[in-house]
């Protein structure tokens, strides 16, 4: 079958799921009722809901003993849509405003949009040139997805076969279920056409960034600049990340940070529900997502005022995480993180740990920091030039927690110094990649801090969307 | 009005340039040509022309020849490359035959498994089911 036909079929499934997701998400995403389902922020949350429906329909079908495909998917969509329609569509949130910022020239706006489109086109070309080929796709995410799809089951050997330990049995199954669900809806396993998922996630991430920043009052110039720069984030949106969990996680991390900040501020009635979905998606995608959710709980508890709201924020993160973790734990038991030796944290091995930290830091300076020095300096400059804005700083704190952990973890890598494992291996293969997944979170945080610069004030004056000056 | 917005715009420009330079798009013409050339071909041919098989494309041709010829009742497949293949070759092999349990160069082959040998070597105790381009599919001799 020709690539173009398969590509269109996969894209159609994903767009249909995202559209259904936008309908389902309407009551929980601010933006002026169901008549404006196509707003940027709703497009992002709609995509997140759509991906959730695709991925969840597969294990649901297995549990019910029916064939995965359109029947369980449409049943799930119908149930979610019914639950959604019972709630009134979300109106305008407290922060649902745009600033009275200096006008942005048409030429500048068009140029920034063109850069963003160029970034998307560049990534789409890299993502779609060939069937997904990255090692981690073949060894982990694709292998599990293909096996689960072909057998309509999760075979024990994915967990019990010692020859498959490279496929990381301890990883969550969200992405494999997403692949299996997509294949069941698109009519077959096609590891080339399915790559269209990744540019679509990139577009959803850019929409989520733009929509959230605009709702939070960041001027259009800063928002468009943030979108343009993020679209060119080639360390994240690169061909070798296609098929892996990092690009989906980067999207879910942005949603997690944005909804956490909204829930902490109580911007609207749907913030807690969005936070819950983002937590579920992050935890179901990668173990880093579990860490991000845990860090979000701590940040939420510190940032939120009022005992009741604080409790709601914590529950919105913890309960969905448990919904993923508990069944997995009951079903599969606990699984050791095989890349790490946590015994190094015991006092008797602190000496060994210290030497590993030195080795790790040296390798990170050489292999991660040095090649990205210009990027790091530019990010530091943008941080310093911005102004402290609590709702944006929370995202940067979340990213900083994750970044610090990503830097520290290779010191616990197994077999120090071995070319194929240990700190050097993890530094070379994992640190830059996991860091890149923080890109959208950092972009949102920095743009929020820079928002006040254009208007000349730290707290951005708002224009209600009903105001003629409001530009959506 | 301070100069901060201008400095921020400059920093954002430098950041964007640094992000692009980190993975310069010099591969684009090759990608366009590859896409145009392979788009009308089948999935296996597209993978054959891609990055995952560049360690040894003849090896992948053998895998693709063998795939439809493995009997339905096979419990698994042991694949023996003629020399050590990189880990990505091992991952590709196991992925290609999934969901069939597959191991690359195992020390022992479980009962009911077939073997796929790359190269001219034909191990003792195994019977050739079919000669294939670049190797052969074998089953345990009775």
């Amino acid at each position: 079958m020709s690539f173009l036909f398969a590509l269109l079929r996969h894209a159609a499934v994903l767009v249909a799921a995202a559209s259904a997701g936008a309908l389902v998400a309407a009551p929980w995403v601010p933006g002026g009722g169901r008549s404006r389902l196509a707003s940027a922020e709703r497009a992002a949350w709609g995509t997140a809901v759509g991906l959730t429906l695709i991925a969840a329909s597969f294990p649901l079908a297995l549990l019910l003993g029916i064939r995965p495909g359109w029947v369980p998917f449409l049943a799930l969509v119908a149930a979610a849509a019914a639950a959604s329609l019972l709630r009134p569509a979300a109106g305008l949130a407290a922060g649902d405003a745009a600033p009275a910022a200096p006008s942005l020239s048409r030429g500048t706006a068009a140029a920034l949009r063109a850069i963003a489109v160029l970034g998307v086109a560049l990534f789409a070309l890299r993502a779609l040139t060939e069937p997904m080929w990255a090692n981690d796709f073949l060894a982990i995410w694709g292998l599990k997805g293909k096996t689960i799809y072909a057998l309509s089951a999760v075979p024990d050997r994915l967990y019990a076969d010692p020859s498959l330990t490279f496929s990381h049995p301890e990883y969550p199954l969200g992405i494999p279920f997403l692949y299996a669900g997509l294949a069941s809806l698109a009519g077959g396993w096609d590891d080339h056409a399915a790559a269209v998922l990744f540019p679509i996630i990139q577009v959803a991430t850019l929409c989520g960034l733009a929509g959230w920043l605009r709702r939070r009052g960041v001027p259009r110039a800063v928002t468009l600049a943030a979108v343009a720069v993020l679209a060119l984030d080639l360390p994240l949106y690169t061909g070798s990340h296609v098929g892996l969990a990092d690009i989906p996680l980067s999207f879910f991390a942005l949603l997690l940070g944005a909804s956490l900040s909204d829930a902490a501020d109580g911007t609207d009635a749907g913030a807690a529900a969005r936070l819950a979905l983002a937590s579920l998606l992050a935890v179901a995608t990668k173990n880093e997502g579990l860490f991000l959710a845990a860090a979000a709980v701590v940040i939420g508890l510190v940032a939120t005022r009022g005992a009741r709201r604080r409790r709601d924020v914590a529950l919105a993160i913890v309960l969905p995480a448990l919904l993923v973790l508990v069944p997995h734990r009951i079903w599969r038991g606990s699984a050791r993180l095989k890349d790490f030796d946590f015994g190094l944290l015991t006092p008797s091995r602190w000496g060994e740990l210290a030497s590993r930290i030195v080795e790790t830091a040296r390798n990170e300076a050489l292999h991660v920091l040095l090649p990205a020095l210009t990027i790091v300096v530019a990010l530091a400059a943008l941080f310093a030039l911005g102004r402290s804005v609590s709702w944006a700083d929370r995202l940067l704190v979340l990213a900083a927690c994750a970044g610090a952990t990503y830097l520290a973890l290779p010191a616990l890598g197994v077999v120090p110094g071995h070319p194929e494992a240990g700190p050097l291996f993890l530094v070379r293969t994992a640190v830059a990649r996991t860091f890149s997944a923080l890109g959208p979170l950092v972009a949102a945080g920095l743009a929020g801090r820079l928002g006040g610069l254009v208007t000349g004030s730290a707290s951005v004056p708002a224009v209600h969307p009903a105001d003629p000056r409001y530009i959506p | 009005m301070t100069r901060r917005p201008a400095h921020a715009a400059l920093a954002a420009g430098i950041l964007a340039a640094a992000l692009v330079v980190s993975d310069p798009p010099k591969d684009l013409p090759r990608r366009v040509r590859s896409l145009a050339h392979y788009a009308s071909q089948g999935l296996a041919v597209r993978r054959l022309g891609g990055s995952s098989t560049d360690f040894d494309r003849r090896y992948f041709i053998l895998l693709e020849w063998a795939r439809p010829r493995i009997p339905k009742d096979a419990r698994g497949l042991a694949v023996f490359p003629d020399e050590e293949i990189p880990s990505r070759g091992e991952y590709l092999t196991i992925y290609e035959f999934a969901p069939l349990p597959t191991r690359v160069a195992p020390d022992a082959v479980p009962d009911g498994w077939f073997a796929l040998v790359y190269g001219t070597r034909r191990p003792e105790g195994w019977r050739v089911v079919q000669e294939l381009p670049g190797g052969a599919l074998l089953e345990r001799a009775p």
Side-chain angles (χ1 to χ4, degrees):
Chain A
M1 181 189 304
S2 83
F3 173 55
L4 186 62
F5 180 65
L7 178 71
L8 291 175
R9 214 176 44 201
H10 281 73
V13 167
L14 289 165
V15 171
S19 304
L23 176 71
V24 171
W28 294 283
V29 183
R34 288 195 172 85
S35 60
R36 289 192 57 230
L37 290 175
S39 75
E41 199 171 14
R42 283 190 172 170
W45 285 99
T47 305
V49 172
L51 298 180
T52 309
L53 293 170
I54 292 173
S57 71
F58 202 92
L60 181 72
L62 300 186
L63 282 173
L64 296 176
I66 58 176
R67 185 188 173 89
W70 284 101
V71 172
F73 174 72
L74 290 175
L76 195 58
V77 169
S84 164
L85 290 169
L86 290 176
R87 286 177 61 97
L92 305 171
D96 208 3
S103 62
L104 179 66
S105 75
R106 278 190 177 186
T108 308
L112 290 172
R113 283 204 184 97
I115 292 171
V117 170
L118 190 68
V120 171
L122 181 60
F123 178 53
L125 181 59
R126 282 177 163 168
L128 298 172
T129 307
E130 58 177 300
M132 293 186 272
W133 55 270
N135 268 3
D136 281 7
F137 172 78
L138 297 173
I140 304 171
W141 311 106
L143 175 65
K144 289 178 180 174
K146 188 179 181 187
T147 302
I148 292 169
Y149 166 71
L151 296 177
S152 285
V154 184
D156 280 343
R157 68 186 170 79
L158 282 180
Y159 296 88
D161 187 344
S163 72
L164 291 182
T165 51
F166 63 77
S167 72
H168 287 276
E170 76 277 17
Y171 285 4
L173 287 173
I175 296 295
F177 278 140
L178 176 60
Y179 285 149
L182 179 58
S184 72
L185 296 176
W189 183 264
D190 187 325
D191 47 24
H192 192 181
V196 74
L197 174 67
F198 290 83
I200 285 177
I201 288 178
Q202 183 197 26
V203 171
T205 305
L206 299 177
C207 286
L209 176 69
W212 185 68
L213 289 175
R214 290 295 285 156
R215 178 163 60 79
R216 282 299 201 154
V218 173
R220 202 155 65 111
V222 177
T223 300
L224 283 177
V227 169
V229 174
L230 182 61
L232 292 177
D233 186 359
L234 302 192
L236 173 61
Y237 299 119
T238 182
S240 61
H241 288 185
V242 174
L244 277 55
D246 301 275
I247 289 173
L249 182 68
S250 73
F251 175 40
F252 304 146
L254 172 67
L255 298 182
L256 181 71
S259 57
L260 170 70
S261 205
D262 287 349
D265 291 338
T267 56
D268 61 285
R274 296 198 300 277
L275 180 58
L277 177 66
S279 173
L280 178 99
L281 288 168
V283 173
T285 300
K286 269 194 111 184
N287 288 331
E288 289 93 317
L290 176 60
F291 177 82
L292 282 165
V297 171
V298 176
I299 295 167
L301 289 174
V302 172
T304 309
R305 287 186 185 165
R308 188 174 169 186
R309 188 184 290 169
R310 203 175 286 141
R311 183 203 62 195
D312 289 349
V313 167
L315 288 177
I317 301 169
V318 171
L319 290 181
L322 292 177
L323 192 66
V324 175
L325 294 173
V326 170
H328 197 269
R329 179 62 66 94
I330 292 171
W331 178 39
R332 304 295 352 164
S334 65
R336 192 176 63 85
L337 293 173
K338 80 177 190 70
D339 284 345
F340 305 105
D341 178 6
F342 289 100
L344 285 160
L345 298 173
T346 55
S348 60
R349 296 180 67 189
W350 281 357
E352 188 185 348
L353 179 62
S355 69
R356 281 165 158 261
I357 289 171
V358 171
E359 180 191 351
T360 301
R362 193 180 62 235
N363 283 315
E364 282 170 346
L366 192 64
H367 298 293
V368 181
L369 181 62
L370 205 57
L373 197 56
T374 312
I375 294 171
V376 173
V377 170
L379 289 173
L382 288 169
F383 177 82
L385 288 165
R387 298 178 179 182
S388 181
V389 182
S390 60
W391 56 262
D393 287 342
R394 289 176 198 132
L395 276 71
L396 294 176
V397 172
L398 187 58
C401 290
T405 307
Y406 298 166
L407 285 175
L409 273 176
L412 303 175
V414 289
V415 200
H418 188 278
E420 280 292 317
L424 178 58
F425 177 73
L426 289 175
V427 168
R428 278 181 184 274
T429 62
V431 173
R433 177 166 50 81
T434 49
F435 251 89
S436 73
L438 301 173
L441 206 53
V442 172
L446 290 178
R449 287 174 62 88
L450 292 166
L453 290 183
V454 175
T455 55
S457 70
S459 74
V460 179
V463 174
H464 194 278
D467 189 306
R469 288 175 297 163
Y470 176 72
I471 304 165
Chain B
M1 192 75 171
T2 70
R3 290 178 142 185
R4 278 186 163 201
H7 289 158
L10 179 64
I14 291 171
L15 175 61
L19 288 170
V20 172
V21 168
S22 72
D23 190 5
K26 59 190 175 192
D27 56 334
L28 295 192
R30 179 181 60 78
R31 287 180 181 278
V32 170
R33 281 197 305 273
S34 172
L35 202 51
H37 180 74
Y38 285 107
S40 59
Q41 308 277 349
L43 185 57
V45 176
R46 280 179 264 144
R47 184 169 287 289
L48 177 64
S51 311
S52 58
T53 57
D54 62 3
F55 66 95
D56 187 347
R57 299 197 197 277
R58 287 190 309 123
Y59 175 74
F60 182 73
I61 290 172
L62 172 67
L63 301 187
E64 276 302 310
W65 269 92
R67 202 149 58 100
R69 291 169 174 80
I70 296 166
K72 293 268 186 274
D73 60 348
R75 291 187 194 164
L77 182 72
V79 181
F80 295 93
D82 60 348
E83 55 190 47
E84 199 170 318
I85 57 172
S87 54
R88 65 197 173 106
E90 186 177 343
Y91 301 149
L92 175 69
T93 306
I94 293 168
Y95 171 82
E96 275 297 303
F97 289 107
L100 184 71
T102 304
R103 292 181 191 168
V104 177
D107 293 331
V109 180
D111 287 340
W113 284 42
F114 282 69
L116 181 65
V117 177
Y118 182 44
T120 53
R121 190 167 46 98
R122 300 289 176 265
E124 279 186 29
W126 290 83
R127 187 179 71 81
V128 174
V129 176
Q130 190 164 3
E131 291 287 349
L132 302 169
L137 182 66
L138 305 112
E139 65 180 348
R140 212 180 285 277

